[in-house]
Amino acid sequence: MDDNDQERHQPLLTTYYENCPGCQIDLSKETNPRIPFKLLFYVWVIVLCAALPISSLFPFLYFMIRDFHVAKREEDIGYYAGYVGSAYMFGRALTSVLWGAIADRYGRKPVIIFGIITLIIFNTLFGLSTSFWMAISMRFFLGSLSGILGPMRAYASEVCRKEYQALGMSIISTSWGIGLVIGPALGGFLAQETLHNHKGSDKECNESNSNQRAEMCEGKSLVSEESLLKNWPLMSSIIAYCVFQLHDMAYAELFSLWAVSPRKNGGLSYSTADVGEVLAISGFGLLLFQLFLYPLVERNLGPVMVSRIGAVLTIPLLSSYPFIAMLEGLNLTLLIDCASVLKNVLCVSITTGLFLLQNRAVAQKQRGAANGISMCAMSLFKAIGPAAGGFIFSWAQKRQDAFFLPGDQIVFFILNIVEVIGLLMTFRPFLALPSNNIS
């Protein structure tokens, strides 16, 4: 064993305070070199619960807007659906930095518990909505008061030793991705059940003259947002991540709207149950990929290269969707299932590496605020996604006989433009890797 290995395995001569949660986590990492499966399971469950409501509305949103009678024409339904889809992300964009700062100041647990409670309340009220404006309001409150994901991303990184941080971020992105496909699946299958038918730790931290000991007392000083905004490895990965999330959120809404729209308008004439079946298969395929293939691929190629390959493969895949819509019967079922599985696999592969880069770009005491900034920026982009997607979808349905990219071809062409922009942002000089990046 060389000197570096001896230094890595020798316990640090550090004082751990009994009443400090951060100290207890650091002590656990110091004395237990194994993967914290129990804690990561908690992370997986909570993130899954947070992700389910985000996109569960998409399979039945078309019919929900139709039954609200706010759209004067069938072609205008996508326009109004976009606003309902965006309300959640707009609310989250307004409060994500605040929730991150609160998580750094008072700990991750209070923010997570409050977020789960508000998620249950306002998602239930959204399901009971009797008008267009009530639906928008409930989605807005759901987004603004449920600040779960940012603190969970910080927590997943903090409970893992450095060699397992990639696994922690993979758990986050996998659970999130599965939630985003299971959510619409549940919404599709269940649509006809819906409306239409550390005390004293501050003192301990202050008494410590050791910078290392101060860092272990978790989240007891507000970070400087200015210094984070000047952290280009953090900001460049956040911006690239936001562009991909804009694309993915727009796709999530457009896919469901496109699938349930009539064939005369370029859609598949699917029912909500049909959409739910496609997305359920996608979720199962995604789970298998993340469990058995992604770790091997990431270990050999690195997270950044995986993101680039995922973006490149997404472009021809989306270009094939309008031609898949020309098929019928078993051929249509098989191809749309395979395409949906592949699209969701590529989506999660792209975002997992960017999660890891963001958390490695900042120190632990800034991680909550950094993830808050990430969530704020991402939510702004995701708020744009459904609104823009709904507008583009309505516009596309009115140009079925256009000479250039008729009908839904223009929808997937625009999605590909956004994907190309995200791809370019994964290269230097735009993307700056953290100094301790392993890829």
Side-chain angles (χ1 to χ4, degrees), residues 356-384:
L356 184 60
L357 294 181
Q358 292 171 29
N359 280 276
R360 287 188 172 175
V362 293
Q364 177 183 354
K365 65 181 180 179
Q366 292 183 309
R367 207 162 280 147
N371 279 285
I373 293 174
S374 174
M375 292 297 298
C376 176
M378 176 192 70
S379 298
L380 281 173
F381 277 72
K382 280 194 168 186
I384 296 171

Side-chain angles (χ1 to χ4, degrees), residues 34 119 165 190 211 255 366 400 439:
R34 295 187 294 273
L119 185 151
Q165 285 181 350
L190 304 178
N211 289 334
F255 177 81
Q366 292 183 309
Q400 297 296 325
S439 64

